[in-house]
Amino acid sequence: RLAVVVDHRKLGMLLRLPRRLFKEARALVKAGDVKEGGWLAGIALGIMIELRCPMRRANLVGLRMDRHLLREAGRKGRIIRFMIEGVETKTGAPLRWPVSPKVAEAIDIYLKEFWPLVAPPGSPFLFPHRLRADEHRAAAGFAGAICRVIHDRIGVEMNLHLFRAVCGSILLDDNPDALDDLRQLLGHATLQTSLQYYRARNPDRVARRVDAALDRLMRETEAEAEADWSRLHGRRRAA
């Protein structure tokens, strides 16, 4: 599965998928299908977060705006970091991961345009339950929805955990010596758990490297991804 996802052309399509899904979500809302538009926008945001900070599915669906999203200069500033305590992670290590400007902007767009369409009143969750304000979306259901959308749009079989392998592969392709960076990216306690990886102690530097590598890949795959998208979905419309 990893070999297929990190194929140059498929990876280019995956990197652009969130942007396309947000566009589809806006079209659904405009057409009056506000709930489906809101849910699709949530899937787009989930993919975008996993590409930049591949957290486990329980942490992804459990993201709370009042606890896990650290904003610059108070409640109205730009989101600058995911803050998840050790008691909430699989390894017991806290997650203090910088949020790239692109992801921060996408979160705020989602919260302004789409979140109010699907969230029960009083919900603190970024990915809220359909009916209950005190619950988030089911982890398995949300992960399954993400994977179905990826398969439907770009023809790749994927599970949510594979995002971690994809990001690790991109990081090591960009810098084969990045062993401890990989450990930090995946949230592992030891290098052995991560297979073997890099030598940096600063998660901000790791995040910048991942963002730079993804941005470069998006530029490099622009033409191929656009051509593949048009060919794949052009055939479906014709059929």
Side-chain angles (χ1 to χ4, degrees):
R1 288 185 177 182
L2 178 61
V4 173
V5 178
V6 298
D7 170 79
H8 199 64
R9 302 175 80 102
K10 289 297 186 182
L11 184 57
M13 294 179 72
L14 179 62
L15 293 176
R16 287 166 181 77
L17 184 56
R19 182 180 64 188
R20 294 183 179 279
L21 293 178
F22 273 118
K23 185 176 180 179
E24 288 184 33
R26 288 191 178 96
L28 286 169
V29 172
K30 187 176 181 180
D33 201 349
V34 294
K35 288 290 185 182
E36 285 305 310
W39 297 126
L40 187 61
I43 290 171
L45 182 61
I47 293 172
M48 197 169 189
I49 291 173
E50 285 295 310
L51 282 169
R52 304 274 173 165
C53 178
M55 61 185 73
R56 291 177 173 86
R57 69 183 190 182
N59 293 128
L60 178 66
V61 297
L63 286 173
R64 292 175 58 118
M65 294 171 288
D66 59 347
R67 183 186 300 170
H68 301 130
L69 305 183
L70 178 65
R71 289 184 178 270
E72 191 175 46
R75 296 176 61 183
K76 295 187 178 181
R78 181 178 71 84
I79 298 168
I80 58 175
R81 198 173 292 269
F82 293 120
M83 304 284 287
I84 301 177
E85 298 304 320
V87 295
E88 300 176 81
T89 67
K90 182 178 179 180
T91 63
L95 177 66
R96 304 282 187 264
W97 199 257
V99 176
S100 73
K102 289 183 178 180
V103 174
E105 181 183 13
I107 292 174
D108 282 335
I109 289 172
Y110 165 77
L111 289 175
K112 181 180 179 180
E113 295 186 29
F114 301 103
W115 184 87
L117 303 177
V118 296
S123 174
F125 294 104
L126 189 62
F127 303 109
H129 189 276
R130 292 176 182 267
L131 301 174
R132 296 178 57 90
D134 59 343
E135 292 185 14
H136 51 68
R137 289 194 64 168
F142 190 45
I146 288 175
C147 297
R148 284 193 299 273
V149 166
I150 291 173
H151 181 264
D152 180 60
R153 299 309 194 279
I154 64 176
V156 167
E157 292 283 353
M158 191 168 180
N159 57 54
L160 200 68
H161 196 74
L162 197 60
F163 276 101
R164 297 164 60 78
V166 169
C167 288
S169 176
I170 291 170
L171 182 63
L172 288 188
D173 283 347
D174 187 61
N175 184 350
D177 294 323
L179 303 184
D180 196 57
D181 280 9
L182 181 65
R183 181 188 64 78
Q184 293 188 56
L185 174 68
L186 301 183
H188 290 155
T190 66
L191 291 178
Q192 287 76 14
T193 307
S194 298
L195 301 178
Q196 291 165 301
Y197 295 76
Y198 173 145
R199 296 169 184 76
R201 301 282 182 225
N202 189 343
D204 294 66
R205 179 167 57 180
V206 184
R208 287 195 298 270
R209 285 177 174 169
V210 172
D211 286 338
L214 287 169
D215 289 342
R216 188 187 68 253
L217 278 167
M218 286 189 71
R219 291 192 299 270
E220 292 175 353
T221 60
E222 178 76 34
E224 293 173 342
E226 291 295 331
D228 284 350
W229 185 275
S230 297
R231 183 168 58 252
L232 177 62
H233 292 278
R235 285 201 305 267
R236 290 186 179 184
R237 285 194 293 271

